Amino acid sequence: SDILREIENGNLEVNRVTCQRLISRYCQMGDIENATRILEHMRKKDMPINESVFNALISGHSVLK
């Protein structure tokens, strides 16, 4: 997503916590598309996906109507 590109272009490293926070916020807003993009980024970088990520995704999907 654009925010990941901005962070990486600023020579900053995107870590697991950053990704978890982004997923959580996107899900709170009901933006499952961007949350999924962040999740895919985590998978590509072999970052561990924990319970808080899954809980955020479940909550995000429940916001959708």
Side-chain angles (χ1 to χ4, degrees), residues 21 25 38 47 52-53 56 64:
R21 304 285 180 176
R25 183 63 184 139
I38 302 297
M47 292 182 191
S52 66
V53 171
L64 296 176

Side-chain angles (χ1 to χ4, degrees), residues 31-43:
D31 187 351
I32 299 303
E33 183 179 333
N34 276 316
T36 302
R37 286 183 185 151
I38 302 297
L39 182 63
E40 289 301 320
H41 174 81
M42 289 181 76
R43 287 183 184 165

Side-chain angles (χ1 to χ4, degrees), residues 1 5-6 9-10 12 19 23 26 28-30 33 35 46-47 51-55 58 60:
S1 84
R5 239 177 277 121
E6 286 182 38
N9 288 339
L12 299 172
C19 289
I23 289 172
Y26 281 132
Q28 287 173 354
M29 296 183 322
E33 183 179 333
D46 291 326
M47 292 182 191
E51 185 178 340
S52 66
V53 171
F54 288 114
N55 287 337
I58 290 167

